[in-house]
Amino acid sequence: TMSLREHALSLFRGALGTVRPAPMLRRALKLQGDGCPQLLVKGQAFPLKRDLYLVGFGKAVLGMAAAAEEILGDHLTRGIINVPLGIQESLQRAGMQEMLLKPYSRIQVIEGAKNNLPDAEALKGAVAIQELAEGLTADDLLLVLISGRGGSALLPAPIPPILLEEKEKLTKVLASRGAAIQELNIVRKTLSVLKGGGLAQLAHPARVVSLILSDVIGDPLDIIASGPTAPSSHSVQDCLQILTKYHLLHSLPKSVEMVLSSSPTKPTAPENYSHVSNIILGSNRLALEEARRQAEGLGYAALVLSAAVQGEVGHVATLYCQLIQLLCLGFSSLAEGPLGDELRGNLLQLAAELQIPGLHLEEFLQALRGLGPDRPVCILAGGETTVQLQGTGKGGRNQELALRVGLGLHKAQATGASSPQGRCEILFLSGGTDGQDGPTEAAGAFCSPGLVAEALQEGLDVEAFLRNNDSYTFFSQFQGGHHLLVTGLTGTNVMDIQAILIRAM
């Protein structure tokens, strides 16, 4: 029989496969060439009256553009894409030729945004994209490829007179004070020419078709890469509120004050976007659905908890620990006793505190009740947790989450005389779909209560590793790094994926 680790790895790879740029584009994009050529996107038809242009920005856009150019052929007039610095070389080194453009491509590649921060090169690319958009006519079609991760940093065009450095410094200060990615994006958008629907407005009257790879919880079009082709649902008021919340309102550069005071108070009306079609091609939800199908194929009773798990990593770890304990009670037919009721109560309270969007925990727990003890269980979830950095160690949110879940389960087992875990084999996996977790070469890690027990027996202080945010060092030292999830660059990104695998012993 395959180990739980092999199963988890196979599910993770399956989920990744469904959101890789080339297969994703080939499924969605077709060209019909007879007489009056038209572009078919997920069944919607867009006639090509005159010229077809392509622009794109973000981490996964190079692979998307390579696949798109293959499909579009000579119909593509010209393209410009903004991608992260060094990505062509990285993909070349990794042997991922299918993600690179052909030598005589009509698409110009601009690399910028070193360390995912807007810079002069990214600005140069953004200006080139802006000029292309401004020159389009009503008969042209603009295909926009958007990859959420890095998409915002690669499209920096601050509203004059704001300088790139000023906008950058403001974003950095906000991030250092704990602003969420959604908050950062609202501020960036308000100060940008192309974000918050700006690109779509500049391209008018041309037809705009956006193909989007989402890396944001709930796939909100106006937040992914700061929504260059979507009507913004935020106004300058929202931006001011965020600046007030983080005590920045009174220390803004003059240029930012000027732009904020002259910004329209209402967002652009949605009816001004009738020339735009925004289509989500890949998302965390799609990846989880594929993993669920594969888990069922391996004989698991599989359920998706949520594609929107968010919150501080310690709280999310506690949620998963309690869920696993409840599942183990089910295997020993004790789920309906007082311990089961207590765990369910704790779970509902935790979920309410974490405010995970669209999570119907009552229904989910009801579905768990229906699972028999005879089949192994797989629970899948996705999203993005946050880590408050306190230490100087090396790791990422996925490795830290995995280690925290392992430790939490070990503690529950050690303290609870009636702990139900003894009869279960448990594995928890958390991994980043872009193949990178924090500043490490790992995408995440596998962990189990048994692993933590062994580490403690060998004299490793697991809690000290966690206090120092040093999960990577723990996993790489222990058992030769066997529990690190290493995938290499994937060329895609739809946030993180977690899998809980449990079977009776």
Side-chain angles (χ1 to χ4, degrees), residues 299-359:
Y300 286 84
L303 293 171
V304 173
L305 174 70
S306 165
V309 172
Q310 58 183 25
E312 200 276 317
V313 69
H315 295 153
V316 174
T318 308
L319 179 83
Y320 285 140
C321 285
Q322 310 239 326
L323 194 54
I324 290 166
Q325 287 173 276
L326 188 62
L327 282 164
C328 288
L329 279 180
F331 276 106
S332 42
S333 309
L334 298 169
E336 297 313 315
L339 193 51
D341 292 342
E342 185 188 334
L343 283 168
R344 271 188 286 272
N346 291 346
L347 276 166
L348 289 167
Q349 193 181 335
L350 255 173
E353 283 167 23
L354 282 167
Q355 295 185 326
I356 294 168
L359 171 61

Side-chain angles (χ1 to χ4, degrees), residues 18 22 127 168 207 209 217 219 234 252 258 269 276 343 388 408 419 441 446:
T18 199
V127 169
E168 220 7 64
R207 189 83 186 109
V209 180
I217 282 174
D219 310 330
H234 301 102
L252 295 173
M258 259 174 77
V276 184
L343 283 168
Q388 292 287 332
S419 171
E441 86 278 9
F446 305 87

Side-chain angles (χ1 to χ4, degrees), residues 301 330-331 367-377:
F331 276 106
L368 283 189
R369 280 183 154 138
L371 301 179
D374 40 353
R375 273 175 84 191
V377 175

Side-chain angles (χ1 to χ4, degrees), residues 22 76 88 149 192 327 351 368-369 385 422:
L76 180 64
Q88 295 178 96
R149 186 49 50 107
S192 293
L327 282 164
L368 283 189
R369 280 183 154 138
T385 58

Side-chain angles (χ1 to χ4, degrees), residues 415-432:
T415 53
S418 61
S419 171
Q421 284 166 220
R423 302 180 188 83
C424 294
E425 190 188 351
I426 302 163
L427 184 84
F428 178 81
L429 161 72
S430 188

Side-chain angles (χ1 to χ4, degrees), residues 222-305:
D222 65 322
I223 296 280
I224 302 163
S226 302
T229 57
S232 174
S233 56
H234 301 102
S235 66
V236 70
Q237 258 43 58
D238 298 305
C239 177
L240 293 170
Q241 232 168 347
I242 292 163
L243 295 170
T244 307
K245 174 178 169 184
Y246 295 102
H247 312 294
L248 286 168
L249 200 53
H250 302 297
S251 53
L252 295 173
K254 285 278 170 283
S255 57
V256 174
E257 282 183 4
M258 259 174 77
V259 167
L260 288 175
S261 63
S262 60
S263 295
T265 48
K266 287 198 166 47
T268 314
E271 52 270 23
N272 295 358
Y273 288 82
S274 55
H275 63 299
V276 184
S277 301
N278 286 306
I279 297 158
I280 298 242
L281 283 197
S283 65
N284 192 275
R285 188 172 302 285
L286 284 167
L288 290 176
E289 278 308 317
E290 179 58 30
R292 186 178 64 84
R293 261 187 13 161
Q294 299 218 3
E296 285 173 349
L298 289 169
Y300 286 84
L303 293 171
V304 173
L305 174 70

Side-chain angles (χ1 to χ4, degrees), residues 391-413:
T392 54
K394 203 171 169 194
R397 58 181 181 262
N398 289 290
Q399 294 162 73
E400 178 149 336
L401 179 59
L403 189 52
R404 281 182 183 279
V405 169
L407 179 64
L409 291 171
H410 169 76
K411 281 182 166 173
Q413 206 162 350

